[in-house]
Amino acid sequence: MQGRTELAPRTRTDVHTLESVALAATHKAALASQAWVGRHDKKAADGVATEAMREVLAGAPGRGTVVIGEGEKDEAPMLYNGESVGNGLGPDFDIAVDPLEGTSFCAKNLPGAMATIAFAESGTLWSPGPGFYMDKIVVPPPAKGVVDLADSPERTLANVAGALGKKVGELRVVIMDKPRHQDLIARVLRAGAAVHTPAEGDVGGSLEVLLPTGDADLLLGVGGTPEGVMTAAAVRGLGGDMLGRLAPQRAEEAEAIRAAGMDLDRIYTCDELVSGDALFAATGVTSGSLLSRPRETDGAVVAESLLISRGQVRRVAHTTFGSCPGTISVPS
């Protein structure tokens, strides 16, 4: 038919072509956060990290959809769920962001704050809808396939220990230090395992489990659902295992989940949370066991990142000439 214009089909996403964009986004967010390290204002720190990350993503090749964003829980004005970013000149892709993982760590200048992001093939990131919290298990590759959220903590510990060739007493378990975890922590300790209880940051805790250089054997407990999907991108990239189940913390959240037609009893596998090829990147904001904070050396600022892509982990040092933002910008 004359006069009709046929639109070219969207090309399949090779998310690994976006590695440099992912690293640039976390790098800029980490540098922007430096002015707020130790200033006890986590909302301001998160805000500048989000704005900096969004500036980079605006120029990303292609069209990205923020599936896991700052979201309703954080009352975010940008990088919210459903926002479209990128220059449109390329394929579609999905994005998960946490511009400042560990906002309290940054605000109080404690170890472990990071800027994080994940990219995945278009339509492959699971959207949690109104579900803010998720019960999770994360294990390293040797323990893949041996865990089940229906199991007791004691059985889980025994199964993971067997897969890793360890005794239960040799296991190191990450469980966030929250009132909801008091019984879980007590049971794990009674079983004989050691427990690391960070105040927040279950993405960082999961990386401790997944990375060969990490200092943990498994992660248990309830954390943020967005962080769960972010973690799943890293799990998929490294060949570990993860299971998740929605765990609403308030009646209103549970009611909203049911109204959305979602099953509170369903257990999601890693491949359901991220069903396509993905990559994960993080840059240190405050120094921790995984990454160092940006530091000044001979007139340049060096930031440390890690990239999980194509089944490999790469550590990347970014060098920016000039002073670190945290040393020249004092918020009024």
Side-chain angles (χ1 to χ4, degrees):
M1 180 184 298
Q2 292 186 355
R4 179 178 176 179
T5 301
E6 295 290 343
L7 297 177
R10 305 295 292 185
T11 57
R12 183 176 177 84
T13 310
D14 179 0
V15 295
H16 302 292
T17 64
L18 300 169
E19 291 176 359
S20 61
V21 177
L23 288 168
T26 58
H27 176 239
K28 189 164 186 176
L31 289 187
S33 304
Q34 294 306 299
W36 293 94
V37 171
R39 297 188 182 276
H40 288 240
D41 191 339
K42 63 182 184 179
K43 181 171 285 190
D46 193 45
V48 296
T50 301
E51 184 175 359
M53 182 171 282
R54 189 174 186 269
E55 288 176 1
V56 173
L57 293 177
R63 184 172 57 200
T65 300
V66 179
V67 178
I68 303 296
E70 288 292 88
E72 180 183 344
K73 182 160 68 81
D74 296 315
E75 300 178 347
M78 61 183 73
L79 292 184
Y80 52 84
N81 296 358
E83 183 176 2
S84 180
V85 298
N87 61 19
L89 305 176
D92 294 347
F93 56 96
D94 287 352
I95 308 173
V97 302
D98 192 351
L100 187 55
E101 148 94 347
T103 53
S104 293
F105 295 161
C106 176
K108 298 176 182 179
N109 196 12
L110 296 174
M114 303 181 293
T116 63
I117 197 167
F119 290 154
E121 293 179 290
S122 179
T124 64
L125 286 187
W126 177 70
S127 174
F132 296 150
Y133 293 93
M134 172 178 278
D135 194 9
K136 311 167 192 173
I137 297 177
V138 178
V139 294
K144 186 172 184 177
V146 306
V147 293
D148 190 330
L149 272 172
D151 288 342
S152 67
E154 294 81 5
R155 182 179 178 87
T156 296
L157 293 171
N159 288 343
V160 172
L164 299 182
K166 295 183 176 183
K167 298 177 180 178
V168 170
E170 297 175 308
L171 293 180
R172 295 156 297 179
V173 185
V174 178
I175 306 173
M176 285 197 296
D177 187 10
K178 304 291 183 181
R180 59 181 176 262
H181 290 150
Q182 287 182 355
D183 180 64
L184 175 61
I185 292 170
R187 292 177 68 173
V188 171
L189 289 172
R190 282 198 300 269
V195 181
H196 175 52
T197 52
E200 58 183 86
D202 51 345
V203 175
S206 296
L207 291 174
E208 291 281 8
V209 171
L210 295 167
L211 294 174
T213 57
D215 194 35
D217 298 301
L218 71 154
L219 176 139
L220 297 173
V222 175
T225 305
E227 289 84 353
V229 179
M230 176 83 70
T231 295
V235 172
R236 187 178 175 93
L238 291 174
D241 205 1
M242 175 180 177
L243 297 172
R245 178 175 54 207
L246 291 172
Q249 298 301 293
R250 296 191 304 170
E252 295 86 350
E253 183 185 353
E255 183 178 347
I257 292 170
R258 293 191 187 96
M262 303 174 76
D263 186 355
L264 286 171
D265 295 321
R266 178 175 174 178
I267 296 175
Y268 295 88
T269 66
C270 180
D271 287 343
E272 289 174 315
L273 298 175
V274 181
S275 59
D277 206 6
L279 67 85
F280 171 90
T283 302
V285 172
T286 59
S287 291
S289 58
L290 295 171
L291 293 164
S292 297
R293 69 175 294 174
R295 61 193 185 279
E296 288 198 52
T297 304
D298 297 328
V301 179
V302 180
E304 186 180 8
S305 299
L306 63 83
L307 176 69
I308 298 172
S309 179
R310 303 183 191 272
Q312 297 181 332
V313 181
R314 287 167 25 213
R315 291 192 175 271
V316 181
H318 309 258
T319 302
T320 305
F321 292 96
S323 297
C324 183
T327 65
I328 63 173
S329 175
V330 179
S332 59

